[in-house]
Amino acid sequence: MSFLSVKNVTKVFDGQTALKNVSLDIEKGELISILGPSGCGKTTLLRIIAGLETPTEGTVEIKGRDCTKLPPSKRNFGIVFQSYALFPHMTVEQNIMFGLNQQKNLSKGERRQRCEEVLTMVDLYEHRKKYPPQLSGGQQQRTALARAVSLKPEYLLLDEPLSALDAKVRVKLRSEICQIQRRLGITTVMVTHDQEEALTMADRIVVMNNGSVEQTGEPREVYSSPESAFVANFIGTMNLYRKEGGTYGVRPESISVSRQKRSDGSQLWPGRITEVEFRGPLTRIYGRLDSHEPICVDMESEKAESLDLRPNENIFFSVPSKEIIKYPENEAV
């Protein structure tokens, strides 16, 4: 039995279908990322799990119990919003104590001890007397996380938790959230539109599109074996081509370039380079095939430099047949 199950959930708002027959099983202790573009239904799904919305059809079960109509206050979860939702007139410590003070089953000393524990866990103990406006974005987000886990919820919901932060802080907080989640062993559902966030943090990824689940799987599985052209194009970069009999995709890092024909069993696609883009450890080569389709290749910058590749140079793009993924003929590119 899964810890949390969403079964055949559909949600309709004013005649518009936001979710279409969505099912999802989440195991205890997992960190699940619901990933997809804006408007795909991921936040609606999170709100239904939280009890903030009621599905038009379908059920939500927690530990085998139907909780579809159970109010949020009876579901024992913690939630962290994109906007942090901190009380600006309260210190970090007071923000955390606000929820703890509602726990009448805990003594004053136990509430104080738990507050200190979570402050230490998120490395904010020395900042406990500061007010939210005095904190950085990352510190505010850690305060919101500490407040959510201080109540020892059965599961944690994260709604775009890092999207308001700059890139460097996001990377640091990704690691910190994962460490805290693993340390507590708390079941976590995170909504994001950031593919890198999902790939680096999640045990499993749920990719959504137009209110439906396109694919569910471990990050490496979803990246390496995308089940649809949408997933292939949304997670990472994929060269997609519509040819007779279907849609074909190949990852940029699977392609190599050469100035001469080679006989290593790969398909050789003649074309020319249109742009060479340095990206630190990787360099991306943009090109156009003789058949007029665009193509891009990722290679180590050291190798790209040694090849001295130049725009407008004619080149062969070498594509291993085993790296080409075929999709149904009706798949859009």
Side-chain angles (χ1 to χ4, degrees):
M1 180 181 68
S2 298
F3 174 79
L4 196 156
S5 292
V6 175
K7 295 185 176 181
N8 309 116
V9 162
T10 294
K11 181 64 179 178
V12 179
F13 292 103
D14 300 324
Q16 299 293 316
T17 302
L19 294 174
K20 308 170 192 171
N21 197 35
V22 170
S23 293
L24 174 63
D25 289 323
I26 301 170
E27 303 303 323
K28 187 170 179 59
E30 272 194 307
L31 195 162
I32 295 289
S33 177
I34 302 174
L35 176 68
S38 297
C40 73
K42 57 188 185 293
T43 296
T44 300
L45 178 56
L46 190 81
R47 289 176 62 82
I48 286 174
I49 292 172
L52 298 169
E53 298 283 355
T54 303
T56 306
E57 296 176 13
T59 59
V60 176
E61 295 181 3
I62 301 171
K63 296 193 292 188
R65 177 189 175 198
D66 188 345
C67 297
T68 311
K69 296 183 179 179
L70 205 64
S73 60
K74 302 292 185 183
R75 297 196 184 198
N76 191 19
F77 67 88
I79 190 164
V80 178
F81 296 102
Q82 176 183 347
S83 60
Y84 318 139
L86 300 174
F87 297 114
H89 62 287
M90 293 184 182
T91 65
V92 169
E93 188 175 52
Q94 289 169 339
N95 265 278
I96 296 169
M97 287 299 296
F98 181 81
L100 285 170
N101 285 334
Q102 314 306 313
Q103 306 296 302
K104 302 307 180 185
N105 59 316
L106 298 177
S107 69
K108 185 176 180 181
E110 287 171 328
R111 296 197 294 269
R112 173 64 55 188
Q113 181 182 357
R114 192 173 292 181
C115 179
E116 291 179 358
E117 285 174 355
V118 295
L119 281 169
T120 301
M121 182 171 60
V122 298
D123 197 24
L124 284 175
Y125 188 78
E126 293 182 359
H127 301 279
R128 66 191 183 282
K129 300 299 183 184
K130 290 182 180 179
Y131 293 88
Q134 297 174 303
L135 303 174
S136 67
Q139 288 170 332
Q140 290 183 51
Q141 190 59 287
R142 294 211 301 272
T143 302
L145 181 61
R147 183 179 59 184
V149 301
S150 67
L151 303 177
K152 295 192 175 179
E154 289 198 283
Y155 60 101
L156 184 64
L157 304 177
L158 307 176
D159 187 9
E160 301 272 9
L162 306 178
S163 60
L165 304 172
D166 64 53
K168 204 164 187 177
V169 176
R170 276 205 309 271
V171 171
K172 186 174 186 293
L173 266 185
R174 283 202 310 245
S175 174
E176 291 178 357
I177 289 173
C178 286
Q179 288 173 25
I180 291 168
Q181 189 267 339
R182 284 194 293 267
R183 188 186 314 164
L184 298 176
I186 187 170
T187 307
T188 302
V189 182
M190 178 181 72
V191 159
T192 182
H193 65 273
D194 188 318
Q195 52 169 289
E196 187 175 307
E197 205 169 282
L199 288 169
T200 56
M201 293 179 69
D203 296 311
R204 283 191 300 142
I205 296 174
V206 179
V207 185
M208 293 190 65
N209 183 33
N210 291 328
S212 299
V213 173
E214 290 264 346
Q215 185 173 351
T216 301
E218 295 179 1
R220 188 177 295 276
E221 172 193 354
V222 173
Y223 181 84
S224 302
S225 303
E227 293 176 357
S228 69
F230 170 81
V231 175
N233 208 27
F234 189 77
I235 299 206
T237 302
M238 181 72 87
N239 293 290
L240 287 168
Y241 305 103
R242 174 162 289 174
K243 299 182 182 295
E244 188 176 347
T247 296
Y248 298 83
V250 59
R251 293 286 187 196
E253 66 270 21
S254 298
I255 305 171
S256 58
V257 299
S258 62
R259 291 185 171 88
Q260 298 173 342
K261 286 187 176 183
R262 298 184 310 201
S263 57
D264 60 0
S266 297
Q267 297 186 27
L268 291 176
W269 299 352
R272 67 180 179 84
I273 295 171
T274 57
E275 186 181 352
V276 178
E277 185 179 88
F278 176 73
R279 296 185 170 194
L282 289 178
T283 291
R284 174 160 288 182
I285 312 299
Y286 291 97
R288 189 162 292 277
L289 302 176
D290 285 358
S291 52
H292 305 297
E293 293 104 332
I295 189 171
C296 68
V297 178
D298 286 338
M299 64 172 63
E300 292 180 0
S301 291
E302 187 177 345
K303 183 175 181 181
E305 188 176 357
S306 68
L307 289 171
D308 192 27
L309 300 168
R310 304 282 181 175
N312 297 316
E313 183 178 358
N314 291 324
I315 208 86
F316 289 103
F317 297 92
S318 180
V319 185
S321 297
K322 65 182 178 62
E323 298 293 342
I324 299 175
I325 303 172
K326 184 179 184 299
Y327 297 104
E329 192 167 2
N330 60 354
E331 281 269 12
V333 173

